[in-house]
Amino acid sequence: MDKAAAAKRINELRKQIEEHNYYYYVLDRPRITDAEYDRLMRELTELEQQYPDLVTPDSPTQRVGGAPAQGFQSVRHLAPMLSLSNAFSAADLLDFDKRVRNGLAGARVEYVVELKIDGLAVSLLYENGRFVRGATRGDGEVGEDITQNLKTIKSIPLRLRQDLELLEVRGEAYMPKKEFARVNEAREEAGEPLFANPRNAAAGSLRQLDPAVTAERSLDIFLYALGAVQGQAPVKTHLEGLHLLKDLGFRINPNIVLLPNINEVIDYCQNWTEKRHDLPYEIDGMVIKVNSLAQQAALGFTSKSPRWAIAYKFPAEQAVTKVKRIYVRVGRTGVLTPTAELEPVRVAGSTISSATLHNEDIIREKDIRIGDTVIIHKAGDVIPEIIEVVKEKRTGQEQEFFMPAECPVCHGPVRKPAGEVAVRCVNKDCPGRGREGLIHFVSRDAMDIEGLGPAVIDQLLTAGLVKDAADLYYLNAEDLIKLERMGKKSVENLLNAIERSKQKDLASLIFALGIRHVGARAGKILAAHFGSMDRLKEARQEELTAIPEIGPKMAESIVAYFRDPAHLRLIERLRGAGVKMTQDIPERGERPLEGKTFVLTGALEKYSRKEAQELIEKLGGKVSSSVSKKTDYVLAGADPGSKLEKARQLGITVISEDDFERMIK
């Protein structure tokens, strides 16, 4: 391909990728598979490598790139980013409404209510349709330039769907709860300090001097306001502004409502107090804004905040309980983690009976002792955490805790590497490490072997039937029937589950291996890029770091994993047992569900929820957790819940398992 043809193809690829990003991140309606998307990105990357002078800053390949920065430059926002005043009760919201109506001489007022995403406020600047700068809020007037880090967030368009002369927009960058748990788990295993909550995690990720580190963390963003605009007819309401943002290619939150009075606002806010725990990201309240921009202008600002908006803050969810004992768990990388066993107590929608204490430094800092009365909450609505000790309730019978001088499982030596906060068992053959590795290998996001929970794994280890993951594939009925509470049917089901797992995709296998720093998302990226385990294990560090979202630390860990002869023997034994080592890339004609969104409800007979979801995704569809106007089909099994009723109210097509099977055939 000559340069002119390459330039034409590069332009085509960029437009295709931008369009697919819009459908995936903004409309929540992907039109191609991840594998096809990755093929487009690979083709674009190869052409740009061949003709580097054709690379432009808004190319999708430039989301991660460049040397680490020496520091962040200060930048001034075109329009100030003011903070909001807070409301903590229904009475506070009534007072806010009274001030608004007094300020508007009793005129009719409509309110837009949005979720208050708990992340980092940022400003994005576009010139002639291209993303040129991103900054933190800072003091509201001046922030820090974090453009390269914001480029790593794939839901931020590098080019608008309309070429506006100038546009400044505001949004909240955040870390999803699942990613927060994964990042903290990785940091704990690496002996690094933990993030206190998703907000701190997002802020810390966006202030990394090396964008490759930011790219390793799956941040996302919701846009919530226009700042400065040139080249666009003015909008008249805040809601119109949000619709404009979506049309331009930005992701806005779906849970935004227009309400006619403050009483409905109060009901809506209070309903979200409990519902917030079901969200995949953290919110700490609601934001209420006067919808009319003319009314906003009439109300104006105080010296600190707008008079036309307020933040309703949720009450803190905490509970008081007692520390019954502190025990030490051994992780799959050898990290010794002290854990508090608590008197059971209900917090944020679930019963909590234990809380990780992370490391000895945190125990000393908070002065946590066995027998203490403590206050707990859920960090990021996910991880149970002891906030503080109620020292006034101490009786003098409490006992200090000290980390063991040897591994509590294998009784081998432990050490605390320089610069780390974690204590590690250095015995690679430690049974405790092996047990956790097996639990990880069979987990839902890995090989998903149903029926192989921790209790069964403990029995297998005690009986000497397994030592590593490969041994699972050489088990037989005669071995298993001897185990406690394992009847003929249980044995048959377990062996069938193990057999099915052999056909899991390559991404699941890569994640299941437990390579340090490699999560489920990285597993998918590596599987799509290399296509086979053989290609991955031969990869060099520079080849790995050239892949978007694969940073130096992860690349170094991957190379080190495949240098270990024990790991190579494990992979060959898995291969010998029939575990699939290549990536399936379905052809276009093999994806009859492309672009369709499904919701699953009730108990299915022929599939587990996980199996149904994987099949739908493999055939080009998508599975959502809630019914909305975007839903195409609700697959209903026995005893369906409220999702079925909502589907009928919205006129969504409801199908049975038989309908589903006819559809995919």
Side-chain angles (χ1 to χ4, degrees):
M1 188 181 294
D2 62 22
K3 187 171 182 178
K8 182 179 179 182
R9 179 59 180 159
I10 284 172
N11 192 46
E12 291 172 352
L13 287 167
R14 288 174 182 167
K15 287 181 178 177
Q16 287 181 45
I17 291 168
E18 288 164 1
E19 189 74 0
H20 289 309
N21 281 342
Y22 177 69
Y23 272 84
Y24 186 91
Y25 293 109
V26 178
L27 301 184
D28 201 21
R29 200 167 67 234
R31 299 198 300 180
I32 61 173
T33 64
D34 288 349
E36 284 184 301
Y37 181 89
D38 291 333
R39 280 206 299 271
L40 294 176
M41 281 293 292
R42 276 202 301 276
E43 184 182 352
L44 178 59
T45 301
E46 289 166 2
L47 284 173
E48 289 185 347
Q49 287 173 346
Q50 190 175 351
Y51 297 101
D53 56 320
L54 296 179
V55 177
T56 60
D58 63 339
S59 172
T61 62
Q62 300 306 295
R63 287 193 178 274
V64 185
Q70 298 300 310
F72 297 113
Q73 300 296 314
S74 295
V75 293
R76 183 169 291 277
H77 304 302
L78 300 185
M81 295 181 69
L82 298 179
S83 59
L84 298 178
S85 55
N86 293 323
F88 298 95
S89 66
D92 290 342
L93 290 177
L94 289 169
D95 287 343
F96 165 71
D97 176 63
K98 185 178 180 180
R99 291 194 299 272
V100 166
R101 288 186 292 108
N102 286 342
L104 297 173
R108 180 174 174 270
V109 180
E110 292 181 319
Y111 293 109
V112 174
V113 187
E114 308 166 40
L115 306 187
K116 188 174 182 296
I117 312 299
D118 201 11
L120 181 73
V122 297
S123 173
L124 311 178
L125 180 65
Y126 291 77
E127 294 177 353
N128 299 315
R130 297 188 180 203
F131 179 46
V132 295
R133 192 181 74 203
T136 62
R137 178 184 175 278
D139 63 5
E141 299 281 348
V142 176
E144 291 180 319
D145 188 334
I146 55 169
T147 306
Q148 293 306 315
N149 289 345
L150 285 168
K151 277 187 174 184
T152 68
I153 301 178
K154 291 186 177 179
S155 48
I156 293 179
L158 300 182
R159 189 172 187 89
L160 300 177
R161 294 173 65 79
Q162 300 174 30
D163 288 346
L164 297 188
E165 182 182 338
L166 182 142
L167 176 71
E168 186 183 53
V169 294
R170 276 69 201 271
E172 193 83 5
Y174 68 92
M175 181 176 284
K177 292 177 182 177
K178 189 173 181 181
E179 180 67 3
F180 170 68
R182 184 199 69 79
V183 167
N184 259 358
E185 181 184 350
R187 290 176 73 84
E188 188 168 358
E189 292 288 348
E192 299 171 350
L194 302 186
F195 290 121
N197 50 55
R199 180 183 64 256
N200 288 356
S205 300
L206 284 171
R207 297 195 74 260
Q208 292 288 327
L209 294 177
D210 185 356
V213 177
T214 309
E216 291 175 5
R217 300 167 186 170
S218 299
L219 300 181
D220 213 329
I221 191 169
F222 286 119
L223 278 295
Y224 60 76
L226 296 166
V229 186
Q230 293 179 17
Q232 168 69 36
V235 296
K236 295 182 179 179
T237 67
H238 176 63
L239 202 57
E240 284 179 23
L242 292 174
H243 291 154
L244 174 60
L245 286 172
K246 187 172 183 179
D247 291 342
L248 291 172
F250 295 105
R251 184 168 180 255
I252 65 171
N253 193 278
N255 301 293
I256 295 171
V257 296
L258 178 65
L259 298 174
N261 58 63
I262 197 65
N263 292 322
E264 291 197 28
V265 169
I266 291 169
D267 288 344
Y268 190 71
C269 290
Q270 291 177 342
N271 284 340
W272 271 104
T273 302
E274 279 299 321
K275 284 167 57 178
R276 62 180 164 138
H277 302 303
D278 299 329
L279 291 167
Y281 45 85
E282 190 174 51
I283 63 174
D284 62 345
M286 311 292 286
V287 177
I288 299 96
K289 300 174 184 173
V290 171
N291 187 36
S292 165
L293 298 188
Q295 289 182 335
Q296 288 185 10
L299 289 165
F301 304 83
T302 68
S303 59
K304 296 181 179 180
S305 58
R307 293 190 177 94
W308 42 265
I310 198 166
Y312 172 76
K313 303 297 288 289
F314 292 133
E317 289 210 51
Q318 300 175 350
V320 177
T321 185
K322 291 194 75 171
V323 178
K324 294 167 67 177
R325 69 183 181 106
I326 297 176
Y327 59 95
V328 176
R329 295 182 293 107
V330 181
R332 56 190 169 87
T333 62
V335 170
L336 272 58
T337 304
T339 303
E341 181 184 333
L342 307 169
E343 290 183 353
V345 65
R346 195 159 180 82
V347 183
S350 60
T351 300
I352 305 303
S353 58
S354 66
T356 178
L357 300 175
H358 303 301
N359 55 66
E360 192 172 19
D361 290 356
I362 287 178
I363 294 174
R364 296 287 166 263
E365 180 184 326
K366 295 183 177 181
D367 192 18
I368 299 169
R369 303 179 187 181
I370 299 165
D372 265 335
T373 298
V374 293
I375 299 171
I376 67 167
H377 78 151
K378 279 188 180 179
D381 280 350
V382 178
I383 303 168
E385 178 186 27
I386 293 177
I387 304 172
E388 62 177 306
V389 174
V390 185
K391 293 183 178 177
E392 305 83 60
K393 293 199 174 185
R394 280 185 173 165
T395 64
Q397 301 300 308
E398 294 78 14
Q399 300 173 350
E400 284 193 61
F401 170 82
F402 297 94
M403 287 292 285
E406 61 181 29
C407 173
V409 177
C410 71
H411 305 292
V414 297
R415 66 183 179 91
K416 187 175 182 180
E420 292 192 10
V421 295
V423 176
R424 293 180 186 274
C425 170
V426 298
N427 177 15
K428 287 171 61 178
D429 298 319
C430 172
R433 295 179 62 173
R435 175 184 184 272
E436 294 299 319
L438 282 170
I439 291 171
H440 172 77
F441 186 88
V442 305
S443 63
R444 181 170 296 181
D445 288 337
M447 299 305 279
D448 192 21
I449 303 180
E450 193 173 350
L452 257 184
V456 177
I457 285 174
D458 286 341
Q459 288 192 69
L460 293 172
L461 290 168
T462 301
L465 295 176
V466 299
K467 289 185 178 178
D468 60 29
D471 289 334
L472 296 171
Y473 294 94
Y474 295 90
L475 292 169
N476 56 54
E478 290 75 20
D479 291 329
L480 294 173
I481 200 71
K482 299 171 186 175
L483 299 179
E484 189 178 346
R485 291 190 295 277
M486 288 292 281
K488 185 177 179 181
K489 188 62 177 177
S490 298
V491 168
E492 182 183 339
N493 290 340
L494 180 53
L495 289 175
N496 287 339
I498 292 171
E499 187 64 29
R500 283 196 303 271
S501 76
K502 294 178 182 180
Q503 297 306 311
K504 288 289 290 183
D505 57 35
L506 180 61
S508 297
L509 177 59
I510 292 170
F511 176 58
L513 292 176
I515 304 170
R516 198 169 173 189
H517 305 306
V518 176
R521 168 71 181 161
K524 291 179 180 178
I525 293 168
L526 294 167
H529 183 86
F530 291 102
S532 73
M533 185 67 74
D534 289 334
R535 283 201 62 211
L536 173 60
K537 72 181 184 182
E538 299 299 327
R540 301 184 308 278
Q541 189 159 342
E542 54 271 25
E543 182 181 4
L544 288 161
T545 53
I547 303 169
E549 298 188 51
I550 306 297
K553 188 181 291 187
M554 190 189 299
E556 183 181 347
S557 179
I558 293 166
V559 171
Y561 181 89
F562 288 110
R563 280 184 186 149
D564 190 325
H567 295 153
L568 297 179
R569 286 194 297 272
L570 172 68
I571 289 167
E572 289 312 307
R573 290 191 67 225
L574 290 170
R575 190 198 306 273
V579 176
K580 191 169 68 176
M581 298 278 166
T582 56
Q583 177 82 348
D584 282 340
I585 303 178
E587 296 300 323
R588 196 169 194 84
E590 297 174 0
R591 294 183 289 104
L593 306 183
E594 181 180 358
K596 302 299 182 185
T597 299
F598 289 74
V599 171
L600 310 179
T601 184
L604 302 177
E605 292 181 6
K606 301 176 183 179
Y607 307 93
S608 68
R609 283 288 182 94
K610 183 74 171 176
E611 288 168 346
Q613 179 171 342
E614 287 180 347
L615 180 57
I616 290 168
E617 290 174 346
K618 183 178 180 181
L619 298 177
K622 180 188 174 186
V623 175
S624 175
S625 60
S626 58
V627 178
S628 70
K629 291 179 181 179
K630 295 181 182 179
T631 306
D632 295 292
Y633 300 100
V634 170
L635 174 53
D639 300 320
S642 59
K643 293 176 183 177
L644 180 61
E645 182 60 33
K646 185 168 184 182
R648 287 171 175 159
Q649 291 172 1
L650 294 175
I652 307 298
T653 302
V654 178
I655 60 174
S656 66
E657 283 187 80
D658 290 339
D659 297 328
F660 176 68
E661 294 204 320
R662 282 193 292 272
M663 182 184 293
I664 65 178
K665 289 175 181 177

